[in-house]
Amino acid sequence: MPAATIPHRRRRDSGSDGDENPNSSALASVSSQSSTSNKRARLGLDGNASESTLRSGMLSNETSGHSSNTLLQSETLHSRPSVRKHQPGSIVRVKLTNFVTYTAVEFYPGPSLNMVIGPNGTGKSTLVCAICLGLGWGPQHLGRAKDVSEYVKHGFQEATIEIELAGDGKRFKGKNVVIQCNIKRENNKSTFHLNGKPTSKKDILEVARTFSIQIDNLCQFLPQDKVVEFAAMTPVELLKSTQRAVASQEMIKMHSDLKDLRYRQKEVQANQVSDQDTLTNLEGRQRMQEADVERMREREQVKERVRLLEVARPFAKYRGARTKHKTAKDKFKEASQELKQLADEVEPSLRAVNEKQRYQRQIDAVVHERRQAVDAADRAAQVLDKNVGKLAERGEELVKERDAEINSSKQDRQAVNRTEQTILRLKKQMEDKPPDLDVASCNERIRDKTRAVDENKRKVSELQRSQEENTRRGRERRERIDQAKHELENLESQAGRQDKKLKNISWDTWKAWDWVKAHQQEFERPVFGPPIVECSVTDPQYVDMIETIFQKNSFLAFTVQTKADFKRLQKQAHDILNLSEINIKEMSAGLDKFPPPVSKDELARFGFQGWALDFIQGPEPVLAGLCVDTRIHRTAVGLRDTNTQQFDQLQNSPIDSWVTSKSSYNIVRRREYGPGATSTRVRDIRKGTVWTDQPVDLTAKRELQERIAGWGDEVTSFQNKNVEAQNEISGLREVIKAMQEEINEMQRDKAATQKALGEFKALPTKLAQQEEKLAEAQESLAKMRERLGVIEVKHDAVTMERGKAALDYANAVEALREVHNGLHEAEIMLIEATSDLRILMQRNVSVKDLLQTKQREVDEVNREKVAAASDAQRLLEECRNLMASADEAMTAFFQTLPEGQSSEDLEIDIESERARLELMHEGNGGVIREFEQRQKRIDALKAKLGEINHSLGEFDEKIKELRDKWEPELDHLVGKISDSFSFNMQQISCAGEVAVFKDEDDFDQWAIQIRVKFRLAASSLARLVYLLMLTRVHRESEPLTTLDSHRQSGGERAVSTIFYLMSLQSLTRSPFRVVDEINQGMDPRNERLVHKRMVDIACGSDQGAALSTSEGEHDDGRGQGQYFLITPKLLHGLEYARGMQVLCIASGEYMPAERNQLDFKGCVDLARGLKAEGVRFGVAVPAS
């Protein structure tokens, strides 16, 4: 391939002079800094850098800040002048500093096809990364590092990307747009400049979008690590990406609105069906209960009338009370008139009686007055009598006080006598001194005995410790016996056998599981053991197939549900129990997070009985963990082996793993080579050993029984030793008891002697105390005599005062006698007046009886009137309260009552209605309430269904309106793509078309369908014949087939993919397109054909490139836009056009440290010269 080296950087003027050879491309390098190291990157055996070298960054020769040995440390890549110009938004220049593998480099891509070639690891894809990050998009669109700071070259803290875009002449006045991106490693952030001015990332993205640049669209920007993602795109996703690439925003919005409208319409339709079913059910139940409800309502009406009649009782009573009060009032008026008339008639006869009554009342008043005087005199005498009594009591108290003092003096004299006797006794004791005590000798004897006791106690303690040790060891042996018995029982149970299997497979795991079972309460949520003990296979015939899916670690993993439990178990197992073979996983998701790839009906059509998950029983978190580890929810299980037809169908289905009775199959898809690059791994089914029922291990059973017997003998031996020790302890305790008695006796003797000596030494002190006590007693007797004298004086004074009070009392009694005589005189006069009055009254008794009788009649009538008024007022208040609290229905009922209805009439009506009520069946009290609530639901559902029907009609209208606009535009757009795609396929002797798959039920399922047909011709004549017969023979005999990973090879899919992308170029609004290593899956023939088509389309040298510019569209003379094709290799003898440019990137161990040492232009000139000489002399020279 020709190349030229220019020592100085060229200007970016596209009209500058240069080599006009259309098959040449220029590469210029200018060194900006010298290398400080001659270190070179190592290459693999194939001449390229090894994978490990690439991953570890060894292509850079900089350590501790040194510069790279890459030839393009500071270089400028120029293209030759082209007749075409850069379209607005296309890339004119890319400058990188300290970015990934580059220290400093500057690219000048051409306006059409740019082929970037070079060995793996030299930095081809770095240019793609720079375009993505420099234009404001994130690293997630590259599929490589997640953080932007990882794109800074090793050893540097900052990287710079500078991208120059062609201006559009409107917004930027014909000037190019320069975008600069600075990436800092320290804070993992990017800053941007636009035409030298700081700006935000949002503004940079807005500038890119104004040029219709879509880095996030795989149809326009396809980096190397996203090729697999593009190949894996479904037809539905392809339609979405295609619309983003070539359709207007209005068209994309219409599709989104259609999908949203259809989704909402389906939701409404589902609600309509559900509500209609509910309505039908409710109406049926309503019709069944209608007759019962009518009867219940009638009974409720009667019951309500009875209640209202009972409530109306106060009104009837009030009417009766009001009538009664009116009658009583009239009677009282009439009786009062009769009484007044009678009184007037008998008034002369009663006048004398009245005068005598006045005299008798006057005498009665005098008697009352004199009786009060007698009472006053009596009270005064009583007061004086009480005073005399108090003085007598005071005299008695003084006598008692004198007697008490005399008695107290007797006790004091007795105390003096006792104290004198005590003094005599103490003086006598002081004359008899007790014998002395040898304390040291006594203490030594006690210590000897005490040491002997301590020694025996020590022996007892040793024997007790021996007993405790024997008891502990016996308890340990019994625990072992219990554990062995438990293991013996487990040998005969399924759970026990699974524990035994776990212990045989992994002792560490079994030990940890044994601890978990005993400490479950220490965890936040339940912790599940390994699947070997927690799970089982529901059907034994599937055991071998199920176990074939699992690896050893899958059987032994613990399952926890929280992070805290994970840390707790991990610490216990590793740090405390020192266990190494422990596998723990956290799983909080349920099985609903692991749906199968296909339905059970579809699975049955492939001949499978179910998924592996269907045949495994166990806790949900454990099964969910197995879904993550072994994908049991995606592994199909069948008893019959798969035939060829089923195998082909499975390869084209979402199922990629299944097991049968003979083999297990696993399909591996290599998406980096295209959707159809698959391989199938087949393994034989191994015999199951984990979830199988096995007979009891007799050897293990016998070993356990022998251990139990041996440990039982040891327990008996320990018990015998404890009995012997207990006997010895009993003997020692008897000896200790006897010695202790001797010690106590010696201590008592010692204490008695010491007590006697102490008491003798204390006798002088006691004597002094008794003498002091005697003096105090004698002094107390003297004070007592003084107090007796004082008491005698007080008693004499009280006696004198008592005599004076007695004289006063005698005078008061005399006064009382005098007033009492006056009272008797007045009482005699009252008796005389009363007798005279009685005589007069007897003479007029008949007149008086008549008046009294009439007065009683008047009083009785008055009481009746008052009572009737009170009853009427009370009933009136009750009626008013009822009216105030009554509702409208009750008020209306009260108004319908007859005006003159009495209480008796009302009670008759109540009894009549009650009799009618008893004749009706009571029924269920909640039927009416249920019926009315159901009717409300029916009315609400009818209203809702009306709204739903109206809403569905609106949805239909909106969907039809949008579809009528969007579908023709989509058909027109895909038709253009299909024409261009078909033409491109015809140019390589193949056929193809693009169509839209239209799902009438769901706009989400509309998709792009690419149909192709590949036939290889053996010679040019065969290709010509193929072209002539293409439309007549092969199209009739072999129709086009849908492009997928099952029918076409990886190379065929790669050809179809690149042609589809090229078909979009004439319609796309993006100024450039990037494709990284798309030709890696093609064979040489397809690669040559595709390369030729790319050159023809991108450089505008193909007549068929104008297909898409028909129907009113035109080309502006700038070709089909800017392409970037990244590839590590090219075939020899490829065709090149004038408008394309080849950017060669060279790096490696054999590159010179200084770029001037390698003259690319000289090499190109030399190759041209050799080729020319070869042609002149007939020598074949290989094409460059």
Side-chain angles (χ1 to χ4, degrees):
M1 186 180 308
T5 303
I6 302 174
H8 297 287
R9 172 177 171 180
R10 287 189 176 184
R11 296 178 60 191
R12 295 190 297 273
D13 187 3
S14 59
S16 60
D17 297 334
D19 192 356
E20 297 182 357
N21 188 345
N23 294 326
S24 66
S25 61
L27 181 149
S29 303
V30 179
S31 175
S32 62
Q33 66 185 46
S34 61
S35 174
T36 59
S37 174
N38 293 325
K39 194 173 183 180
R40 295 293 183 265
R42 299 193 187 96
L43 301 179
L45 296 177
D46 56 353
N48 296 326
S50 64
E51 182 178 358
S52 62
T53 303
L54 290 173
R55 291 179 179 175
S56 61
M58 292 179 63
L59 285 179
S60 172
N61 69 342
E62 293 183 22
T63 58
S64 304
H66 295 298
S67 60
S68 171
N69 74 321
T70 304
L71 180 61
L72 302 180
Q73 290 176 352
S74 179
E75 51 192 340
T76 305
L77 305 181
H78 290 273
S79 64
R80 291 187 53 235
S82 172
V83 295
R84 294 179 180 169
K85 297 181 180 180
H86 286 82
Q87 294 185 17
S90 61
I91 299 176
V92 178
R93 176 176 61 89
V94 179
K95 181 179 179 181
L96 308 176
T97 305
N98 301 328
F99 186 77
V100 190
T101 60
Y102 295 109
T103 301
V105 67
E106 195 166 10
F107 296 90
Y108 285 84
S112 55
L113 179 61
N114 293 273
M115 302 190 69
V116 183
I117 65 173
N120 289 327
T122 54
K124 302 183 300 301
S125 297
T126 301
L127 175 60
V128 179
C129 299
I131 294 173
C132 175
L133 300 179
L135 293 178
W137 271 267
Q140 68 271 17
H141 300 291
L142 298 171
R144 292 193 171 189
K146 295 182 179 179
D147 296 330
V148 70
S149 61
E150 298 184 28
Y151 290 88
V152 179
K153 186 176 182 181
H154 180 69
F156 294 90
Q157 296 300 318
E158 184 176 358
T160 303
I161 304 171
E162 187 175 306
I163 299 177
E164 183 176 349
L165 303 177
D168 59 358
K170 296 180 181 179
R171 288 162 297 173
F172 302 99
K173 300 179 181 180
K175 296 182 180 180
N176 291 347
V177 179
V178 179
I179 299 173
Q180 181 177 330
C181 172
N182 296 321
I183 305 173
K184 294 186 178 181
R185 183 191 299 275
E186 181 178 359
N187 53 10
N188 190 33
K189 290 186 178 179
S190 301
T191 57
F192 292 88
H193 290 74
L194 180 62
N195 292 329
K197 297 180 180 180
T199 187
S200 64
K201 181 179 180 180
K202 181 179 179 181
D203 294 337
I204 297 299
L205 290 172
E206 186 61 30
V207 170
R209 291 191 176 98
T210 57
F211 285 118
S212 299
I213 298 174
Q214 299 180 9
I215 298 297
D216 55 348
N217 191 344
L218 296 180
C219 290
Q220 294 186 5
F221 190 85
L222 190 60
Q224 177 181 356
D225 295 287
K226 291 287 184 176
V227 172
V228 175
E229 183 178 338
F230 182 84
M233 285 176 63
T234 63
V236 174
E237 294 171 343
L238 184 59
L239 174 61
K240 180 180 178 181
S241 297
T242 300
Q243 286 192 104
R244 288 189 60 208
V246 300
S248 63
Q249 288 297 325
E250 181 181 4
M251 189 173 174
I252 296 173
K253 186 177 183 303
M254 283 192 292
H255 188 199
S256 176
D257 292 343
L258 280 171
K259 291 189 288 185
D260 180 62
L261 284 172
R262 181 56 184 149
Y263 175 78
R264 289 159 55 194
Q265 185 186 38
K266 289 167 72 175
E267 283 187 340
V268 174
Q269 287 174 345
N271 292 335
Q272 181 190 32
V273 173
S274 175
D275 291 343
Q276 185 62 48
D277 293 342
T278 303
L279 177 61
T280 303
N281 182 24
L282 291 177
E283 288 178 340
R285 294 170 62 188
Q286 202 76 338
R287 286 191 295 271
M288 293 174 61
Q289 288 187 345
E290 190 169 2
D292 294 338
V293 169
E294 288 298 327
R295 289 193 297 270
M296 293 296 297
R297 283 178 175 172
E298 183 180 0
R299 189 179 190 282
E300 288 295 326
Q301 291 174 357
V302 174
K303 187 176 180 181
E304 179 65 14
R305 178 170 175 79
V306 171
R307 186 185 70 83
L308 292 175
L309 288 173
E310 291 177 346
V311 172
R313 280 172 173 161
F315 292 94
K317 291 179 180 179
Y318 170 69
R319 285 192 292 269
R322 185 176 60 182
T323 302
K324 183 177 180 182
H325 173 259
K326 183 178 180 182
T327 303
K329 185 176 180 183
D330 294 339
K331 288 175 64 178
F332 176 73
K333 184 176 181 182
E334 182 180 355
S336 298
Q337 290 177 354
E338 292 177 353
L339 177 62
K340 183 177 182 301
Q341 184 179 358
L342 181 62
D344 292 339
E345 293 177 354
V346 299
E347 192 274 334
S349 301
L350 297 176
R351 187 178 299 118
V353 175
N354 292 334
E355 290 177 357
K356 183 60 70 173
Q357 284 180 342
R358 283 195 297 273
Y359 174 75
Q360 190 263 348
R361 282 195 293 271
Q362 291 174 357
I363 297 299
D364 184 65
V366 172
V367 170
H368 178 70
E369 180 180 355
R370 292 184 178 182
R371 186 176 287 119
Q372 288 180 344
V374 170
D375 293 338
D378 183 61
R379 286 194 296 271
Q382 289 178 359
V383 169
L384 292 173
D385 182 57
K386 289 181 180 179
N387 187 25
V388 172
K390 290 180 179 179
L391 291 173
E393 292 176 357
R394 176 59 178 162
E396 292 176 356
E397 290 177 357
L398 290 173
V399 172
K400 291 179 180 179
E401 186 176 353
R402 181 189 61 190
D403 294 340
E405 289 291 341
I406 292 172
N407 293 332
S408 177
S409 65
K410 292 180 180 180
Q411 296 176 356
D412 291 339
R413 283 193 291 270
Q414 292 174 358
V416 169
N417 294 330
R418 287 196 299 271
T419 305
E420 290 175 348
Q421 292 176 2
T422 302
I423 292 172
L424 293 175
R425 179 173 54 81
L426 291 174
K427 289 180 179 180
K428 183 178 179 180
Q429 288 178 353
M430 291 176 66
E431 296 175 357
D432 299 330
K433 182 178 180 181
D436 294 332
L437 174 66
D438 188 356
V439 178
S441 175
C442 182
N443 289 338
E444 184 62 28
R445 291 195 303 273
I446 293 174
R447 282 196 292 271
D448 291 341
K449 291 292 182 178
T450 303
R451 282 193 291 270
V453 169
D454 293 339
E455 178 63 22
N456 289 329
K457 287 183 177 180
R458 184 187 61 77
K459 292 180 181 180
V460 170
S461 298
E462 290 179 354
L463 291 172
Q464 287 177 340
R465 284 194 295 272
S466 175
Q467 281 184 320
E468 292 174 356
E469 178 64 19
N470 291 333
T471 302
R472 184 191 63 78
R473 295 171 67 183
R475 185 168 53 251
E476 180 183 350
R477 297 301 188 274
R478 281 193 294 270
E479 290 176 355
R480 292 183 183 179
I481 290 172
D482 293 340
Q483 184 177 1
K485 289 180 179 179
H486 179 66
E487 292 181 4
L488 193 61
E489 293 175 356
N490 285 342
L491 285 177
E492 300 177 358
S493 64
Q494 180 64 28
R497 288 197 291 270
Q498 293 305 113
D499 276 350
K500 184 67 175 179
K501 291 177 183 178
L502 175 63
K503 185 175 182 181
N504 293 335
I505 294 175
S506 172
W507 188 91
D508 287 359
T509 306
W510 172 82
K511 187 68 175 177
W513 172 233
D514 190 56
W515 182 87
V516 167
K517 289 188 293 184
H519 300 81
Q520 278 284 2
Q521 70 279 0
E522 299 181 13
F523 296 98
E524 295 179 354
R525 300 189 65 184
V527 174
F528 299 99
I532 189 174
V533 296
E534 293 283 6
C535 300
S536 62
V537 178
T538 58
D539 194 338
Q541 61 181 338
Y542 295 98
V543 170
D544 295 345
M545 292 180 281
I546 297 299
E547 289 193 18
T548 301
I549 303 172
F550 287 80
Q551 301 296 327
K552 179 182 177 182
N553 289 338
S554 301
F555 284 113
L556 302 179
F558 288 88
T559 303
V560 298
Q561 302 181 68
T562 64
K563 291 184 179 180
D565 289 346
F566 182 92
K567 295 179 180 179
R568 175 74 178 92
L569 181 55
Q570 187 181 48
K571 180 179 180 181
Q572 180 68 29
H574 294 162
D575 301 342
I576 300 177
L577 299 178
N578 294 322
L579 304 177
S580 58
E581 191 179 359
I582 300 299
N583 185 11
I584 308 171
K585 58 187 175 184
E586 179 187 351
M587 178 55 59
S588 58
L591 291 177
D592 55 339
K593 302 296 183 181
F594 303 96
V598 298
S599 65
K600 288 190 175 182
D601 294 339
E602 189 174 355
L603 183 68
R605 287 194 284 104
F606 289 115
F608 295 111
Q609 282 71 47
W611 304 101
L613 177 60
D614 299 335
F615 301 102
I616 301 177
Q617 185 177 8
E620 184 172 349
V622 178
L623 297 180
L626 294 177
C627 290
V628 175
D629 293 343
T630 60
R631 305 176 70 210
I632 59 176
H633 66 296
R634 298 180 62 90
T635 303
V637 178
L639 293 175
R640 296 182 180 179
D641 202 8
T642 306
N643 56 37
T644 304
Q645 181 181 0
Q646 291 175 336
F647 183 82
D648 294 338
Q649 292 176 352
L650 287 169
Q651 279 191 317
N652 300 328
S653 72
I655 302 175
D656 55 10
S657 178
W658 68 91
V659 292
T660 65
S661 59
K662 295 182 180 180
S663 304
S664 68
Y665 300 84
N666 188 20
I667 297 178
V668 180
R669 292 181 171 87
R670 302 292 299 274
R671 298 189 183 277
E672 63 270 20
Y673 298 119
T678 62
S679 62
T680 303
R681 184 170 63 221
V682 182
R683 293 181 299 170
D684 292 336
I685 297 296
R686 66 174 182 264
K687 188 66 176 176
T689 59
V690 174
W691 287 318
T692 58
D693 293 332
Q694 297 179 353
V696 177
D697 189 348
L698 297 179
T699 302
K701 181 178 180 180
R702 187 166 51 255
E703 289 179 357
L704 288 174
Q705 291 173 343
E706 291 175 355
R707 291 177 185 175
I708 291 172
W711 290 331
D713 294 340
E714 292 182 7
V715 170
T716 302
S717 175
F718 293 144
Q719 291 175 345
N720 294 334
K721 290 180 179 179
N722 280 347
V723 171
E724 295 175 358
Q726 186 62 39
N727 294 333
E728 189 173 351
I729 289 173
S730 299
L732 289 173
R733 284 177 176 170
E734 291 294 333
V735 174
I736 292 172
K737 183 178 180 181
M739 290 183 175
Q740 192 66 46
E741 288 294 333
E742 295 180 4
I743 293 174
N744 293 337
E745 184 64 27
M746 294 168 62
Q747 289 177 342
R748 283 194 294 270
D749 294 342
K750 173 185 173 184
T753 305
Q754 288 179 334
K755 180 179 180 181
L757 289 173
E759 290 177 350
F760 179 78
K761 292 179 181 178
L763 287 177
T765 303
K766 290 182 178 180
L767 179 62
Q769 292 175 348
Q770 292 299 321
E771 290 176 347
E772 182 179 356
K773 184 177 179 182
L774 178 61
E776 292 176 354
Q778 292 173 349
E779 182 180 359
S780 176
L781 284 173
K783 291 180 178 179
M784 182 270 296
R785 296 189 186 96
E786 294 177 359
R787 288 195 298 272
L788 283 175
V790 173
I791 291 171
E792 288 294 338
V793 172
K794 290 181 178 180
H795 184 266
D796 294 340
V798 169
T799 302
M800 293 297 293
E801 188 176 357
R802 180 181 177 187
K804 183 177 180 299
L807 292 176
D808 293 337
Y809 174 71
N811 295 330
V813 170
E814 181 61 24
L816 175 61
R817 186 183 64 78
E818 292 178 357
V819 296
H820 202 275
N821 292 333
L823 174 61
H824 288 168
E825 293 176 359
E827 287 177 345
I828 292 170
M829 293 175 69
L830 178 62
I831 292 169
E832 292 176 351
T834 303
S835 177
D836 294 339
L837 178 63
R838 188 178 300 110
I839 294 170
L840 289 174
M841 289 183 68
Q842 287 176 353
R843 295 175 184 174
N844 295 286
V845 63
S846 60
V847 176
K848 187 177 180 181
D849 290 341
L850 181 61
L851 285 174
Q852 291 177 349
T853 301
K854 183 56 69 174
Q855 183 65 47
R856 285 194 296 271
E857 290 178 2
V858 172
D859 293 339
E860 181 66 25
V861 172
N862 186 44
R863 284 194 296 272
E864 291 178 0
K865 184 191 70 168
V866 172
S870 176
D871 291 342
Q873 184 65 31
R874 177 179 55 78
L875 292 171
L876 179 60
E877 289 297 327
E878 188 175 349
C879 292
R880 287 175 178 173
N881 293 334
L882 283 175
M883 293 299 295
S885 61
D887 53 16
E888 294 181 1
M890 186 179 293
T891 303
F893 177 79
F894 291 158
Q895 293 174 356
T896 62
L897 294 175
E899 181 65 24
Q901 188 181 34
S902 63
S903 297
E904 292 76 9
D905 296 336
L906 181 64
E907 292 299 328
I908 292 172
D909 290 344
I910 292 174
E911 292 301 324
S912 176
E913 293 296 330
R914 284 179 176 173
R916 183 183 173 191
L917 185 63
E918 290 176 357
L919 294 176
M920 296 181 179
H921 187 267
E922 183 175 1
N924 186 2
V927 170
I928 296 178
R929 183 172 61 256
E930 181 182 353
F931 183 85
E932 293 174 349
Q933 291 177 352
R934 189 184 301 115
Q935 186 61 43
K936 291 180 181 179
R937 290 186 60 191
I938 290 173
D939 297 339
L941 282 174
K942 287 181 178 179
K944 184 178 179 182
L945 285 173
E947 295 176 357
I948 288 176
N949 292 330
H950 178 70
S951 178
L952 289 176
E954 292 181 347
F955 276 123
D956 289 334
E957 292 176 1
K958 291 180 181 179
I959 290 174
K960 185 177 183 303
E961 181 183 356
L962 275 178
R963 182 172 179 175
D964 291 344
K965 293 180 181 179
W966 173 71
E967 187 175 7
E969 292 186 21
L970 179 64
D971 291 338
H972 178 69
L973 188 67
V974 175
K976 289 183 180 181
I977 297 173
S978 180
D979 293 341
S980 178
F981 181 76
S982 178
F983 181 81
N984 289 334
M985 294 294 289
Q986 289 178 10
Q987 302 310 303
I988 63 170
S989 304
C990 300
E993 65 179 12
V994 181
V996 180
F997 170 75
K998 301 178 180 180
D999 189 322
E1000 294 300 329
D1001 186 60
D1002 195 351
F1003 289 100
D1004 261 334
Q1005 300 304 315
W1006 283 45
I1008 289 290
Q1009 281 189 343
I1010 303 176
R1011 291 190 285 269
V1012 295
K1013 179 169 63 178
F1014 286 90
R1015 288 293 181 271
L1016 301 179
S1019 62
S1020 298
L1021 179 60
R1023 287 196 297 271
L1024 179 59
V1025 172
Y1026 177 79
L1027 288 173
L1028 292 175
M1029 301 180 66
L1030 181 64
T1031 59
R1032 290 185 296 173
V1033 179
H1034 291 286
R1035 282 189 178 178
E1036 297 175 359
S1037 61
E1038 298 183 11
L1040 300 176
T1041 58
T1042 302
L1043 180 68
D1044 55 32
S1045 60
H1046 309 296
R1047 296 179 181 273
Q1048 286 80 24
S1049 65
E1052 290 173 341
R1053 292 195 303 277
V1055 171
S1056 303
T1057 299
I1058 192 62
F1059 278 169
Y1060 183 78
L1061 294 178
M1062 288 190 294
S1063 300
L1064 299 179
Q1065 182 63 31
S1066 59
L1067 302 174
T1068 186
R1069 295 168 292 158
S1070 179
F1072 64 86
R1073 185 182 306 279
V1074 176
V1075 181
D1076 194 353
E1077 297 192 17
I1078 192 64
N1079 59 333
Q1080 294 308 295
M1082 303 180 190
D1083 57 21
R1085 174 185 176 278
N1086 285 334
E1087 187 174 351
R1088 291 181 186 279
L1089 294 174
V1090 170
H1091 180 270
K1092 182 177 184 305
R1093 289 301 304 147
M1094 289 185 64
V1095 172
D1096 292 342
I1097 293 174
C1099 298
S1101 61
D1102 182 36
Q1103 296 178 357
L1107 282 174
S1108 62
T1109 61
S1110 60
E1111 303 180 10
E1113 300 178 4
H1114 65 279
D1115 189 359
D1116 59 0
R1118 293 179 291 185
Q1120 296 297 317
Q1122 190 179 41
Y1123 269 86
F1124 286 88
L1125 178 62
I1126 317 296
T1127 179
K1129 55 92 179 178
L1130 285 175
L1131 300 174
H1132 294 288
L1134 297 177
E1135 297 184 12
Y1136 299 92
R1138 178 181 178 83
M1140 68 177 293
Q1141 177 168 332
V1142 180
L1143 303 177
C1144 301
I1145 300 178
S1147 175
E1149 183 179 357
Y1150 300 103
M1151 299 301 296
E1154 298 294 335
R1155 59 163 300 282
N1156 294 330
Q1157 298 180 11
L1158 181 63
D1159 188 356
F1160 278 101
K1161 185 176 184 305
C1163 295
V1164 172
D1165 293 340
L1166 179 61
R1168 290 174 178 170
L1170 292 175
K1171 184 175 182 181
E1173 291 297 327
V1175 172
R1176 181 185 303 174
F1177 295 103
V1179 179
V1181 178
S1184 301

